[in-house]
Amino acid sequence: MKLTILFGGASFEHEISIVSAITIKEKLAGFDLSFVFCDSDHTFYLIDPSKMKAVTFSKGEHKKMPQLTLTHGAFAQKKGVFGGAVEHNNVVLNLIHGADGEDGTIAALLDFYSIKYIGPRVDACIFSYDKRYTKYLCEAINVKSVRYEVAHKDELGNISISYPLIVKPTRLGSSIGVSIVKDESELDYALDVAFEFDSVVIVEPFLEGVKEYNLAGYFADGAMHYSIVEEPYKEEFLDFEKKYMDFSRSEQVLKADISTELEARLKANFDKVYRGMFEGALIRCDFFVHNDEVMLNEINPIPGSMANYLFEDFEKVIESLSSSLPHAKRPKVSYEYIHSISKAKGK
Amino acid sequence: MKLTILFGGASFEHEISIVSAITIKEKLAGFDLSFVFCDSDHTFYLIDPSKMKAVTFSKGEHKKMPQLTLTHGAFAQKKGVFGGAVEHNNVVLNLIHGADGEDGTIAALLDFYSIKYIGPRVDACIFSYDKRYTKYLCEAINVKSVRYEVAHKDELGNISISYPLIVKPTRLGSSIGVSIVKDESELDYALDVAFEFDSVVIVEPFLEGVKEYNLAGYFADGAMHYSIVEEPYKEEFLDFEKKYMDFSRSEQVLKADISTELEARLKANFDKVYRGMFEGALIRCDFFVHNDEVMLNEINPIPGSMANYLFEDFEKVIESLSSSLPHAKRPKVSYEYIHSISKAKGK
């Protein structure tokens, strides 16, 4: 099948999106792929598939490739003054991690121009991109999560959570700006680091002895489909460079050794998060299990390289998802009210 | 000052947006205004100010006017094959009510193309457009609201709220699809009406003897600015046509006869809702007061004709707001990680 991979973006995760796209290219080798790169100045480029290498972008070679603009139903490529436009109207896979891709911007653009896409819709982005809003969602749909406090750059209040604690910028993924704070002496530095990336940070207790499980899934053909459950390799903390490497994962991993009962509970929680909000997207939920309680840690609405390594037949996953995409209904405008008011006024 | 009024949209409120724009034109007579119309097929047109009449649109005359496209920093107007493009790079006032304007789509588009605008940002849209998410927000920021239940088109559960109750589509303003239900015999019809407009509806108790107060406001020049408090003219229920007329209000209204203490409580609640989310927008919060408790009924992030009638000097309001617009920070991409990884690999 034909598919356009959209990657890049004006985001701290720009580079890992490139890595993610390169990885996906290998995993979808049976597809007729095209690649649209969103540069950090928001110009779109059509990338020659043979040039899908990290150096193409770091050396700026993409700037010599054809520019694209958004038009109704497609990315359009100008063909000089006298030629018409070439349209690229495949289904798009939104693979822009972080800002632009996960904050609702790209979703809104593609919706506005009626371009079909795999990826989270605008509301789904808002509730997964900002860690505060994920907490709001958990509260509302009755999914447990770690308790938290919010700190603002301008008005630093007291933090009442006891040590060790974890400090995170609210609107960044990929562990950027995240610190574990063992005692008070480390707090100011950790907050400074986080405030480098965001004016709002959230603080959570660092739970000792927590188990971590990742589960991906999507809705297609009338049913939920789940990946295997992975127990991610755990260091105390993944720094950005290690996480970066993590976005290029392509080897299928082993199923976590957990009871059927726990697996069912993870899936039930995933379901509550997904339904009515994430349709059209393949997401990965990262759960904690602590004192036998399942808690949502975070929602990755565009996981690194689409969490391909959690699925047995990744091409089939993308094929079935792309045939089950939601489409926005647009109301017809009849001008009925303007007509009736004009009539009432005798005009 | 120069200002572009953006109106229309693919929404059930398309026509009231036109009415709103016509009203605003009169209220900002001292400005150098231009008008960009978003047709229901998402084509943008530059409207001749002298043609800002409802019939222009109902007769389709706008289709003969110049088309615009979004480019970096501006709406651009093509000037034929050999001419360059004309750029319209004023600050934009987003006056698209309902879908597109209030659901985050237009905000994302303008953000993506770095066009400055008065109006709610994407997250502010999500939390005000969908009535469920407004409830999530109230819960999280500790603002009281009317309790509610959610009904889905596909899986009608039991409603446990007692009569009389009120049924509303979750994602529509302007009273469209809203019914008051006196007893069980009226429920199915009311749900059918609401489901005409949305697949999800919310049900609330209809509170007898409730007082209603509207308060608008915005953040500019380092401080919150509030309108007078209005006690809106209350019928049991505003139908769409009456509400429609309501969007063309331009006469300043009288201040509600309430205590300074109640006014302060309304403002304190407004503040909690606004801060950290609605910066850049002039919003109107509609409050209920019931048993001496202040409750948020709804947030209008783009109120009809910008609630101009609640302010004494509306031109000054728009001027000061447009000089205090938030601007999104875009991270610089250094390709530092790609460089270091390439080095590590010896490439």
Side-chain angles (χ1 to χ4, degrees):
Chain A
M1 63 168 275
K2 286 184 172 191
L3 185 73
T4 294
I5 310 292
L6 176 62
F7 65 108
S11 130
F12 290 109
E13 294 168 75
H14 178 94
E15 296 179 62
I16 56 182
S17 173
I18 294 172
V19 174
S20 218
I22 293 169
T23 309
I24 283 278
K25 187 186 169 220
E26 285 159 30
K27 292 301 294 186
L28 298 177
F31 281 31
D32 180 1
L33 295 177
S34 53
F35 294 89
V36 174
F37 177 61
C38 177
D39 207 351
S40 57
D41 67 356
H42 284 165
T43 310
F44 296 109
Y45 295 93
L46 182 68
I47 306 299
D48 181 340
S50 72
K51 298 284 167 58
M52 281 296 296
K53 291 165 190 159
V55 289
T56 299
F57 307 97
S58 61
K59 287 188 179 163
E61 283 170 13
H62 60 277
K63 289 187 202 291
K64 295 174 220 151
M65 300 187 197
Q67 281 190 27
L68 302 175
T69 54
L70 279 163
T71 54
H72 292 291
F75 283 94
Q77 179 182 352
K78 264 200 205 144
K79 294 215 73 176
V81 183
F82 297 103
V86 187
E87 299 222 325
H88 301 271
N89 59 357
N90 301 339
V91 170
V92 167
L93 172 64
N94 176 7
L95 199 62
I96 298 182
H97 304 297
D100 280 348
E102 291 181 333
D103 67 6
T105 308
I106 291 294
L109 256 73
L110 297 175
D111 279 336
F112 188 82
Y113 289 105
S114 303
I115 296 172
K116 282 193 167 190
Y117 63 99
I118 295 175
R121 272 54 204 166
V122 182
D123 51 356
C125 287
I126 295 302
F127 283 105
S128 46
Y129 183 58
D130 189 312
K131 293 179 177 68
R132 283 172 300 174
Y133 304 154
T134 305
K135 301 286 187 185
Y136 296 4
L137 179 67
C138 284
E139 183 74 32
I141 61 173
N142 225 344
V143 163
K144 290 211 166 62
S145 70
V146 183
R147 79 193 167 83
Y148 73 108
E149 285 172 19
V150 172
H152 294 266
K153 196 169 190 169
D154 316 325
E155 40 180 283
L156 259 183
N158 276 334
I159 289 162
S160 68
I161 289 173
S162 49
Y163 297 92
L165 51 80
I166 185 159
V167 170
K168 310 172 177 177
T170 44
R171 281 159 290 201
L172 275 179
S174 313
S175 312
I176 305 173
V178 177
S179 307
I180 293 167
V181 178
K182 297 217 170 77
D183 56 49
E184 211 183 328
S185 70
E186 299 175 359
L187 182 62
D188 284 353
Y189 180 72
L191 286 172
D192 280 352
V193 169
F195 284 133
E196 278 288 300
F197 298 99
D198 201 325
S199 57
V200 186
V201 310
I202 81 166
V203 179
E204 294 175 345
F206 179 75
L207 305 174
E208 316 261 8
V210 76
K211 286 281 203 173
E212 220 180 312
Y213 298 105
N214 297 350
L215 172 64
Y218 59 97
F219 183 85
D221 308 317
M224 287 297 302
H225 302 271
Y226 301 100
S227 73
I228 57 158
V229 175
E230 182 196 18
E231 186 174 352
Y233 173 68
K234 203 160 156 235
E235 298 177 271
E236 193 181 63
F237 181 57
L238 280 175
D239 73 13
F240 184 55
E241 210 149 325
K242 286 189 210 105
K243 192 93 181 184
Y244 184 98
M245 293 311 227
D246 211 45
F247 276 72
S248 60
R249 286 173 69 186
S250 59
E251 267 169 69
Q252 225 214 321
V253 300
L254 289 179
K255 198 172 169 306
D257 183 22
I258 56 170
S259 67
T260 342
E261 183 270 335
L262 178 56
E263 189 174 338
R265 279 164 64 202
L266 294 171
K267 286 180 179 170
N269 277 283
F270 187 101
D271 206 64
K272 273 198 207 172
V273 169
Y274 191 97
R275 292 290 189 114
M277 186 168 286
F278 287 93
E279 281 78 3
L282 183 162
I283 71 174
R284 198 188 74 211
C285 287
D286 296 352
F287 292 104
F288 285 159
V289 177
H290 190 245
N291 299 334
D292 198 40
E293 206 167 54
V294 170
M295 290 182 288
L296 181 70
N297 178 32
E298 60 176 53
I299 306 167
N300 294 284
I302 306 178
S305 63
M306 296 301 281
N308 69 82
Y309 50 84
L310 298 180
F311 294 93
E312 214 174 305
D313 186 346
F314 185 62
E315 291 196 340
K316 214 177 124 190
V317 165
I318 296 299
E319 225 174 284
S320 98
L321 184 52
S322 64
S323 66
S324 298
L325 298 174
H327 46 276
K329 265 186 260 170
R330 286 213 194 126
K332 286 240 169 70
V333 174
S334 63
Y335 290 108
E336 184 181 333
Y337 291 100
I338 284 184
H339 287 309
S340 66
I341 285 158
S342 303
K343 245 185 231 166
K345 283 184 182 169
K347 282 184 193 167
Chain B
M1 66 168 275
K2 286 184 174 193
L3 185 72
T4 294
I5 310 291
L6 177 62
F7 65 108
S11 129
F12 289 110
E13 294 167 77
H14 179 93
E15 296 179 63
I16 57 183
S17 174
I18 294 171
V19 174
S20 218
I22 293 169
T23 307
I24 283 278
K25 188 188 168 219
E26 286 160 29
K27 293 301 294 186
L28 298 177
F31 281 31
D32 181 1
L33 295 177
S34 53
F35 294 89
V36 174
F37 178 62
C38 178
D39 207 351
S40 57
D41 67 355
H42 284 165
T43 309
F44 295 108
Y45 296 93
L46 181 68
I47 306 300
D48 180 340
S50 72
K51 297 284 166 59
M52 280 298 293
K53 292 167 189 156
V55 289
T56 299
F57 307 97
S58 60
K59 287 189 178 162
E61 283 170 13
H62 60 277
K63 289 187 202 291
K64 294 174 222 153
M65 300 186 197
Q67 282 190 27
L68 302 174
T69 54
L70 280 162
T71 54
H72 291 291
F75 283 94
Q77 180 182 350
K78 263 198 207 148
K79 292 216 72 176
V81 182
F82 297 101
V86 186
E87 297 220 328
H88 301 272
N89 59 358
N90 302 338
V91 169
V92 167
L93 171 65
N94 176 7
L95 199 62
I96 297 183
H97 304 297
D100 280 346
E102 292 181 332
D103 66 6
T105 308
I106 291 295
L109 255 73
L110 297 175
D111 279 336
F112 188 82
Y113 289 106
S114 302
I115 296 172
K116 282 195 167 186
Y117 62 100
I118 295 175
R121 272 53 204 166
V122 181
D123 51 356
C125 287
I126 295 303
F127 282 106
S128 46
Y129 183 60
D130 190 312
K131 294 178 177 68
R132 283 172 300 174
Y133 304 154
T134 306
K135 302 286 187 184
Y136 296 5
L137 179 66
C138 283
E139 183 75 32
I141 62 174
N142 225 345
V143 163
K144 289 210 166 64
S145 70
V146 183
R147 79 193 167 83
Y148 73 108
E149 286 172 19
V150 172
H152 294 265
K153 198 170 188 167
D154 316 327
E155 40 180 279
L156 260 182
N158 275 335
I159 290 163
S160 69
I161 288 173
S162 49
Y163 298 93
L165 50 80
I166 187 158
V167 170
K168 310 172 177 176
T170 44
R171 280 160 289 202
L172 274 179
S174 311
S175 312
I176 305 174
V178 177
S179 306
I180 293 168
V181 178
K182 298 216 169 78
D183 57 48
E184 212 185 327
S185 69
E186 298 175 357
L187 181 63
D188 284 353
Y189 179 71
L191 287 172
D192 280 351
V193 169
F195 284 133
E196 278 289 300
F197 298 98
D198 201 325
S199 57
V200 185
V201 310
I202 80 164
V203 179
E204 293 175 345
F206 178 76
L207 304 174
E208 316 262 8
V210 75
K211 286 280 204 175
E212 221 178 312
Y213 298 105
N214 296 350
L215 172 64
Y218 59 97
F219 183 86
D221 307 318
M224 288 296 302
H225 301 272
Y226 300 101
S227 73
I228 58 159
V229 175
E230 182 196 18
E231 185 174 352
Y233 173 68
K234 206 164 153 228
E235 298 177 89
E236 192 180 63
F237 180 60
L238 280 176
D239 73 15
F240 184 54
E241 210 148 324
K242 285 187 211 108
K243 192 94 180 183
Y244 184 98
M245 293 313 228
D246 212 44
F247 275 72
S248 59
R249 286 173 70 187
S250 59
E251 268 170 68
Q252 225 214 321
V253 300
L254 289 178
K255 197 170 168 305
D257 182 23
I258 56 170
S259 68
T260 339
E261 183 270 333
L262 177 56
E263 190 175 338
R265 280 163 66 201
L266 293 172
K267 286 179 180 171
N269 277 283
F270 187 102
D271 206 64
K272 274 198 207 172
V273 169
Y274 191 98
R275 293 287 191 115
M277 186 169 285
F278 287 93
E279 280 78 3
L282 182 162
I283 72 172
R284 198 188 74 210
C285 287
D286 297 352
F287 292 105
F288 285 160
V289 177
H290 190 245
N291 298 334
D292 198 43
E293 206 168 54
V294 171
M295 291 183 286
L296 179 71
N297 178 33
E298 60 176 53
I299 306 167
N300 294 284
I302 306 177
S305 62
M306 296 301 281
N308 69 81
Y309 50 84
L310 296 180
F311 294 94
E312 214 174 304
D313 187 345
F314 185 62
E315 291 196 342
K316 213 176 125 191
V317 166
I318 297 299
E319 226 174 285
S320 99
L321 184 52
S322 64
S323 67
S324 300
L325 298 174
H327 46 275
K329 266 186 262 170
R330 289 215 191 123
K332 286 238 169 70
V333 173
S334 62
Y335 291 107
E336 185 182 331
Y337 291 99
I338 283 183
H339 287 310
S340 66
I341 284 158
S342 303
K343 246 183 232 166
K345 283 183 182 169
K347 283 186 194 166

